[in-house]
Amino acid sequence: MKKIALYLTILNSIINTSLFSEEVTSKIDLDISFKKSIVEDIINKELPNLIEDSGSGSEIFNGKKNGLLGSGLNLLSAIDKKFSQPSESFIWAYKINRSPILFNAHGQEVEAVTDISGLFKASWSRTKDGTEMTLNGNAGIKSTLSISPDWKLESNSSPFLNISNKTIPLNLDVYGLKFKTDINIGDSLEKSISSKLRKATKELDEKIRAFDLKSIVEKNWNKLKEPILINKDYDLWLTINPKAARYSDMISSNDDLSIKVGTDVDLNMYFGEKPAPLTFTTLPPMSFGFVDDKFNIVLPISANYNKLNNIINENLKNKTFKTSSIISSNFSNMNLSSENSVLSIKMDFDSTIFNFLKRNGNIVALLKPNFNKETGTLNSDSFDYTLETDSILLKFINSLLKNKIKEIIKTKYLSFDSTKEVQVLKNLLQEKVTSVELDKNVYLKSTIESLNIENFSINDESLSITFKLIGESTIEIVEN
């Protein structure tokens, strides 16, 4: 510890060497994301930017809807040979351009959409009679993503095509005979666009389902069965026990698509011998429910006085405290205890007066620590001590300077601003969690937004401090 003071020693011992903790449920919510480019590449491979098709009337007129026109044209063929093969002599073609792909997410559904626009032309091969029509609409893939109770990522995708004119009106005036019918180009559009998108949906679903979320989570969660050694100097162990899991809506952000996943876990910390491994055999079942955008970890840590006394006394060795301008003291055999939220500190001391007079004795101090959550400061307005020594000189000095000594101890040793130390701890944690490789091409990336001391309390058995971490995490899936 860099700052040695009575209260700072106690606080830092708790921060660095928690002995046991109450069970508490923390929420760790994150996004499982993948690049939009994965979907874009699949669609681009199947569906070109320019879509063209052409054919003869036989591909349009053959159908009940156009039977009247076909009969009329057959009648005309008896008058004019140029209508003898009406279907083949009627030709058509269209060109459609598509835009870059855009994404929309609604609940569990995500759409990859491209706008399409083009022109359809049709005419008789030997006359000027014909028609021309603009084509507008959109096409794409609609996917519903979900996670099964046993942690399998499910994807059900289907293509869609919305065109302003799948049937185009055709008016003809041949030898005074007027014909009016609709040309149906739906089958051609289905063949040119929807069938290609159907291939893309199959590939997309296979790719998403091939991502073995369960194995990745299970592999890492199984590691959590074994307690994690946090501080080897003090034998500090952390256990993480999963309790529940849930997922919710799809999210479309700048370059990524993601699905929210949340877990509830119980965190416990122990001091001493390694705890027994946890006994959970399977992951908690996944269900659909509300998931926040952040993780919210609450970690209460408590230290019983017996263990804490051992740690503090070890840290007090060879430490000197300036209790006044003329007195320097070394402390040993410190014993902490508490009754009715009042902390009692008993300890032996060896003091040096005027840098050459050596005296010793013991001190019994009583204080009631206060923690200000808003400022992150610890202090003790209620503080007093009793000096027990055979030194008449030390007793006399204490009677003269006690109020001053109390004030020095209160302001210098019993007041602690945790802001700097907490910021250092936050920075250390951020380094650890910025990017963690979970599996090949799978990374856990986290940002800690805040780390605060939420509460500090004492009771007859222990001192307790509660930390709260808030931040964001994403499991990012990348391509090779």
Side-chain angles (χ1 to χ4, degrees), residues 340-356:
N340 297 325
S341 299
V342 176
L343 191 64
S344 172
I345 305 175
K346 299 178 182 179
M347 55 191 160
D348 298 333
F349 69 87
D350 291 298
S351 295
T352 302
I353 307 170
F354 301 118
N355 292 323
F356 68 91

Side-chain angles (χ1 to χ4, degrees), residues 428-469:
L428 289 173
L429 287 174
Q430 183 61 67
E431 290 179 8
K432 299 288 186 182
V433 300
T434 297
S435 183
V436 180
E437 186 174 8
L438 300 179
D439 202 57
K440 183 180 179 182
N441 301 325
V442 181
Y443 295 87
L444 174 63
K445 297 185 176 182
S446 304
T447 300
I448 299 175
E449 296 179 1
S450 64
L451 170 62
N452 298 304
I453 297 176
E454 191 75 4
N455 188 36
F456 178 84
S457 62
I458 63 174
N459 58 43
D460 293 353
E461 288 78 32
S462 63
L463 289 167
S464 297
I465 187 168
T466 302
F467 289 97
K468 187 173 184 178
L469 292 88

Side-chain angles (χ1 to χ4, degrees), residues 4-39:
I4 303 299
L6 295 179
Y7 206 72
L8 180 55
T9 301
I10 296 170
L11 178 64
N12 278 352
S13 295
I14 295 172
I15 291 176
N16 294 309
T17 64
S18 171
L19 310 179
F20 61 89
S21 73
E22 301 173 0
E23 187 172 277
V24 63
T25 298
S26 296
K27 296 185 180 299
I28 303 176
D29 295 350
L30 51 81
D31 297 336
I32 298 178
S33 73
F34 56 92
K35 296 296 180 185
K36 290 178 178 177
S37 59
I38 296 175
V39 181

Side-chain angles (χ1 to χ4, degrees), residues 123-142:
S123 64
W124 297 105
S125 59
R126 288 185 247 174
T127 70
K128 295 181 179 179
D129 294 307
T131 188
E132 184 176 295
M133 185 70 69
T134 59
L135 300 173
N136 294 289
N138 58 46
I141 293 176
K142 185 180 296 184

Side-chain angles (χ1 to χ4, degrees), residues 399-425:
S399 65
L400 293 177
L401 301 177
K402 183 174 182 180
N403 287 337
K404 185 176 182 179
I405 292 173
K406 283 174 58 177
E407 191 61 30
I408 291 173
I409 293 174
K410 284 171 59 177
T411 57
K412 190 174 182 180
Y413 299 127
L414 299 182
S415 180
F416 171 56
D417 185 350
S418 64
T419 305
K420 183 177 180 180
E421 278 68 24
V422 169
Q423 183 62 43
V424 170
L425 180 58

Side-chain angles (χ1 to χ4, degrees), residues 312-339:
I312 293 175
N313 284 314
E314 186 66 28
N315 281 277
L316 284 175
K317 290 179 179 179
N318 303 317
K319 302 297 189 304
T320 300
F321 297 87
K322 194 80 173 177
T323 51
S324 74
S325 59
I326 62 174
I327 302 175
S328 297
S329 302
N330 292 78
F331 299 98
S332 60
N333 300 322
M334 179 179 284
N335 182 67
L336 299 178
S337 62
S338 178
E339 186 176 350

